[in-house]
């Protein structure tokens, strides 16, 4: 029976043998499976959750891949040393990690392979800038994003795709970065945007009636769907509710896995660990996060990512890297009441940079450039928080800004604000003094802070934190705001606030591995038959965050490499000639990021 024809709830057969076993079903794991199956290997993907996709399915679907084919074809053909120079200015001598060169050399080949030979397609990020203005930084051309995908192409397997993150979707419908999101922000101000949104919502309503979920897939949901479709097309087997509890090894070589139900599966060519790192593993966090993040950590990654792959690797001799600049990909998070006594975690990737919104801590002082990347924002909060205090702050907006952009989970117009206030998520005050009292801030300090910010915003220059000075800041702002897209005064009450707590989009610390994705032991020797991809593999950027998409880019690239190594076909100089071309590659999809907000999660 083919993979397409078998039950979506089929169980692995105990004692079965495959060429390659992949543990975890995020973009790194699925990319490995697609590539390996395309090379002729028999593959099984083992996912412990009841759905596929991991945190990748919740992500923005962006990959940072300098000199990718979409950029080159658009005339952006930068020299190979440019991205390397940019990384050197951020990473220092750690840019000499051999994985960096391998990534920069192989990433474009990986993008081309999936575009031309799989069900995955891309839109360009040719106007998406790097996060940090350093020598070698680019104003665009180093990013690609998964193109929209019709969920109906998965057939019954759509039931196994993890839905978009509910707190940032609209009734289960994902909204893509770029023009899609721009239309939603303008829906109450532009008839054309209102019509666009109405059509999107109408189609989504029909999908909910007919299919019980969104079928207009975008962002990371589209990426995972395309990878799933590609696995099905090649006969790679996908198993859910198949948690791995141990690796089988014989005379130092990894030869298979044991599942939670006792099932044993054998691997002739190896096992790839791609379980998403340890964003929900308190024990490893306590050891690696240090005191910066405080006593609690609220990750926006899926709760299934509990460090399984890292523990499996360590048990057979793998080495966990603990020498990174940051162990996590930090992000500001707010806590959304789930109605059951718990909280969902809302990642603030977009709203901080919008005009009319600022962040304050302590008694009510600003502490950071709100429009910098989510990682840099949280790093600034950690650095500004005195020892012994929890690293928390308040995101504050005036009424027009909240109605225009929303504030976290508190959605913009036409959604009413009362439900967000009643559950305690949103705090509001008629004046800044009223808001300060509701947030336990000093009213006089907050008023002084806002007055100073307003004066600078109206002049178009933030003298305190240089907000709006960088290309990235301005792209994240509002192109219609003058004189600076990222700056706007807080003028009209009522004023609104949301509490921000320390969180992450995932983790950077992972298993040590070489430039062939082979897991290394404490002495630096490869463990035969064991590979790592995604966040189970230690960050090639040494815990730095140079640009959006630096998680999914390496995840898919080193998954692509691991598959070739397992097949015995890896030659870094071969230019992609080891893979066979599909007969009917999908049509190209044009990029749509011009003049619109970008969030790479």
């Amino acid at each position: 029976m083919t993979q397409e024809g078998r039950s979506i709830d089929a169980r692995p057969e105990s004692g079965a043998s495959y060429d390659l076993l992949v543990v975890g079903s995020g973009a790194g794991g699925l990319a490995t499976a697609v590539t390996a199956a395309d090379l002729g290997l028999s593959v099984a993907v083992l996912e412990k959750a009841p759905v596929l996709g991991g945190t990748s399915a919740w992500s923005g679907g962006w990959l940072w891949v300098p000199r990718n084919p979409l950029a080159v074809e658009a005339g952006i053909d930068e020299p190979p040393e440019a991205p390397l120079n940019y990384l050197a200015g951020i990473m220092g001598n750690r840019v000499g990690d051999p994985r960096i060169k391998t990534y920069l050399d192989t990433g474009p080949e990986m993008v081309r392979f999936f575009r031309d030979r799989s069900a995955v397609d891309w839109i360009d990020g040719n106007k998406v800038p790097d996060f940090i203005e350093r020598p070698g930084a680019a104003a665009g051309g180093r990013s690609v994003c998964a193109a929209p995908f019709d969920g109906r192409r998965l057939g019954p397997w759509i039931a196994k795709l993890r839905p978009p993150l509910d707190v940032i979707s609209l009734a289960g419908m994902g909204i893509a970065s770029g023009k899609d999101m721009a239309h939603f922000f303008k829906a109450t101000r532009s008839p054309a945007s209102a019509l666009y949104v109405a059509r999107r919502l109408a189609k989504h309503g029909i999908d909910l009636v007919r299919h019980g979920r969104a079928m207009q897939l975008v962002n990371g949901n589209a990426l995972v769907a395309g990878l799933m479709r590609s696995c099905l097309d090649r006969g790679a087997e996908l198993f859910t509710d198949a948690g791995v509890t141990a690796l089988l090894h014989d005379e130092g070589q990894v030869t298979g896995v044991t599942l939670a139900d006792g099932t044993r599966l054998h691997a002739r060519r190896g096992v790839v660990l791609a379980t998403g790192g340890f964003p929900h593993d308190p024990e490893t966090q306590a050891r690696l996060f240090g005191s910066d993040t405080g006593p609690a950590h609220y990750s926006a990654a899926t709760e299934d990512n509990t460090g399984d792959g890292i523990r499996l690797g360590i048990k057979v001799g793998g080495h966990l890297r603990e020498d990174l600049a940051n162990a996590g990909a930090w992000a500001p998070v707010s806590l959304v009441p789930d109605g059951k006594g718990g909280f969902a975690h809302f990642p603030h990737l977009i709203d901080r940079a919008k005009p009319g919104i600022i962040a304050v801590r302590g008694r009510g002082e600003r502490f950071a450039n709100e429009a910098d990347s989510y990682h840099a924002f949280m790093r600034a909060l950690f650095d500004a928080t005195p020892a012994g205090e929890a690293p928390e702050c308040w995101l504050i907006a005036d009424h027009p800004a909240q109605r225009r952009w929303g504030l976290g989970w508190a959605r913009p117009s036409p959604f009413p604000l009362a439900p967000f206030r009643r559950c305690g998520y949103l705090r509001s005050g008629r004046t800044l003094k009223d808001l300060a009292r509701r947030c336990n801030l000093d009213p006089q300090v907050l008023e002084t802070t806002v007055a100073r910010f307003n004066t600078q915003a109206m002049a178009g220059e933030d003298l305190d934190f240089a907000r709006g000075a960088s290309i990235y800041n301005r792209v994240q702002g509002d192109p219609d705001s003058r004189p600076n897209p990222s700056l706007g005064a807080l003028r009209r009450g009522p004023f609104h606030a949301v509490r921000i707590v320390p969180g992450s989009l995932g983790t950077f610390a992972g298993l040590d591995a070489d430039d062939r994705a082979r897991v290394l032991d404490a002495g630096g020797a490869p463990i035969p038959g064991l590979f790592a991809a995604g966040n189970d593999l230690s960050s090639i950027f040494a815990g730095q965050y140079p640009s959006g998409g630096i998680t999914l880019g390496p995840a898919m690239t080193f998954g692509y490499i691991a598959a070739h190594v397992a097949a015995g076909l890896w030659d870094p100089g071969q230019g992609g000639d080891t893979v066979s071309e599909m007969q009917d590659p999908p049509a190209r999809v044009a990029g749509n990021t011009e003049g619109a907000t970008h969030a790479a999660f």
Side-chain angles (χ1 to χ4, degrees):
M1 180 181 293
T2 66
Q3 170 74 353
E4 184 71 29
R6 76 171 178 84
S7 167
I8 63 174
D9 294 312
R11 305 301 304 152
E13 181 180 348
S14 188
S17 292
Y18 298 85
D19 290 322
L20 195 65
L21 294 173
V22 179
V23 187
S25 66
L30 291 176
T32 307
V34 173
T35 308
D38 194 78
L39 294 172
L41 302 187
S42 60
V43 187
V45 176
L46 307 169
E47 170 58 57
K48 77 172 182 179
V51 289
L52 300 162
T55 301
S56 297
W58 282 358
S59 74
W62 285 92
L63 288 71
W64 190 73
V65 184
R67 307 176 70 241
N68 67 76
L70 280 73
V72 173
E73 289 159 13
I76 305 173
D77 193 5
E78 61 179 328
E81 63 270 15
L84 196 62
N85 290 341
Y86 173 61
L87 293 175
I90 297 169
M91 297 174 58
N93 61 10
R94 298 193 70 164
V95 78
D97 184 335
R99 296 178 302 165
I100 293 288
K101 185 178 186 305
T102 298
Y103 174 65
L104 294 175
D105 289 345
T106 311
E109 176 186 321
M110 177 275 297
V111 170
R112 187 178 300 107
F113 164 73
F114 282 99
R115 181 189 68 176
D116 296 344
R117 300 178 173 104
S118 83
V120 174
D121 203 3
W122 311 106
I123 55 177
D124 69 66
N126 291 344
K127 295 186 181 296
V128 175
D130 289 327
F131 278 175
I132 306 169
E133 291 208 342
R134 295 279 179 86
R142 292 178 176 171
S143 301
V144 296
C145 183
F149 188 92
D150 184 348
R152 293 173 297 182
R153 292 174 61 189
L154 286 178
W157 282 89
I158 188 68
K160 290 295 184 179
L161 172 64
R162 184 183 293 275
L165 179 60
D166 54 0
V167 293
I168 63 173
S169 65
L170 187 57
M173 181 182 71
I175 300 173
S177 300
K179 290 183 179 179
D180 192 38
M181 185 177 293
H183 278 304
F184 277 86
F185 279 141
K186 293 179 180 178
T188 59
R189 303 164 65 238
S190 162
S193 291
L195 179 60
Y196 175 93
V197 169
R199 287 172 174 167
R200 280 273 271 131
L201 291 173
K203 189 174 186 307
H204 180 60
I206 294 172
D207 287 340
L208 290 179
V209 171
R210 290 180 176 175
H211 306 284
R213 62 154 293 153
M215 290 289 170
Q216 305 172 84
L217 307 183
V218 297
N219 304 334
N221 227 230
L223 177 60
V224 170
L227 291 169
M228 287 174 60
R229 180 68 265 167
S230 302
C231 283
L232 297 170
D233 290 342
R234 287 160 176 76
E237 298 190 37
L238 306 175
F239 296 105
T240 57
D241 296 300
V244 173
T245 56
L247 297 177
L248 303 177
H249 54 102
D250 182 23
E251 296 183 355
Q253 179 164 340
V254 174
T255 59
V257 303
T258 301
L259 304 186
D261 63 2
T263 297
R264 286 192 166 199
L265 302 174
H266 302 283
R268 290 180 287 269
R269 301 292 187 98
V271 173
V272 181
L273 300 175
T275 67
F278 60 94
H280 293 284
D281 175 13
E283 182 179 339
T284 306
Q285 289 174 14
R287 188 168 83 253
L288 297 187
F289 284 3
S291 59
D292 277 349
T293 64
H297 180 76
Y298 305 94
S299 181
T302 61
E303 293 186 358
D304 305 296
N305 295 354
T306 55
D308 297 344
I310 291 173
R311 285 191 296 273
L312 290 169
I314 291 173
K315 286 180 181 177
V316 295
H319 173 60
L320 175 63
R321 292 291 296 267
E322 300 187 14
D323 59 346
L324 278 61
N326 296 277
W330 311 131
V333 164
S334 57
L335 302 180
V336 177
D338 63 6
K340 305 173 185 177
F343 297 93
H345 303 163
F346 186 102
H348 289 257
L349 309 183
I350 296 171
D351 49 7
R352 296 170 291 104
K354 301 305 182 187
I357 298 175
I358 64 169
V360 302
R361 65 158 308 278
R363 296 187 302 160
E365 306 96 342
R366 287 181 72 213
F367 60 91
N369 178 340
E370 297 91 344
D372 275 349
S373 74
Y374 33 87
H375 182 80
F377 178 84
M378 285 307 297
R379 190 67 262 171
L381 177 58
F382 296 155
D383 293 343
T385 302
E389 290 187 20
E392 298 178 355
C393 65
W394 292 91
L395 203 59
I396 295 176
D398 72 354
H399 194 64
Q402 196 288 325
R403 294 286 73 196
R404 174 83 168 86
W405 307 109
L407 196 63
W409 183 57
R411 302 185 187 280
S413 179
F415 292 91
L417 294 180
F420 304 111
R421 293 190 183 116
R422 278 197 302 268
C423 70
Y425 178 79
L426 184 71
R427 301 192 189 185
S428 302
R430 183 178 57 85
T431 66
L432 285 170
K433 285 185 177 179
D434 291 338
L435 181 67
R437 295 186 186 101
R438 287 172 169 80
C439 299
N440 294 318
L441 301 172
D442 185 312
Q444 185 60 51
V445 171
L446 182 60
E447 282 192 329
T448 301
T449 295
V450 172
R452 177 173 175 81
F453 177 80
N454 287 352
T455 298
Q456 297 182 139
M458 289 184 285
E461 185 178 11
D462 176 12
L463 300 176
D464 297 326
F465 297 99
R467 174 171 164 181
S470 72
I471 296 173
Y472 177 77
N473 283 182
R474 295 191 292 274
V475 167
Q476 290 291 93
D478 176 8
D480 297 328
S481 179
R482 298 289 185 271
N484 191 313
S486 189
L487 294 172
L490 286 73
R491 294 191 179 110
R492 286 177 45 199
F495 298 91
H496 310 284
V498 169
R499 185 171 70 102
I500 300 297
V501 296
S504 69
L505 302 183
T507 50
F508 284 149
L511 295 168
D512 196 11
D514 64 12
D515 64 348
R516 298 187 176 197
R518 299 178 299 182
V519 174
L520 304 177
D521 63 21
I527 298 173
L530 188 60
F531 303 87
N535 286 351
D536 283 353
L537 182 150
S538 182
S539 165
I540 69 171
F541 301 109
Q544 303 287 1
Y545 216 133
S547 197
I550 56 102
T551 296
L552 290 182
M556 292 187 64
T557 300
F558 282 96
Y560 174 84
I561 290 171
H564 280 81
V565 174
L569 295 171
W570 178 241
D571 177 357
Q574 65 203 350
D577 294 333
T578 60
V579 289
S580 57
E581 186 171 354
M582 292 177 63
Q583 291 183 345
D584 298 304
R588 287 284 309 282
V589 179
N592 67 348
T593 56
E594 183 171 359
T597 294
H598 163 66
F601 166 27

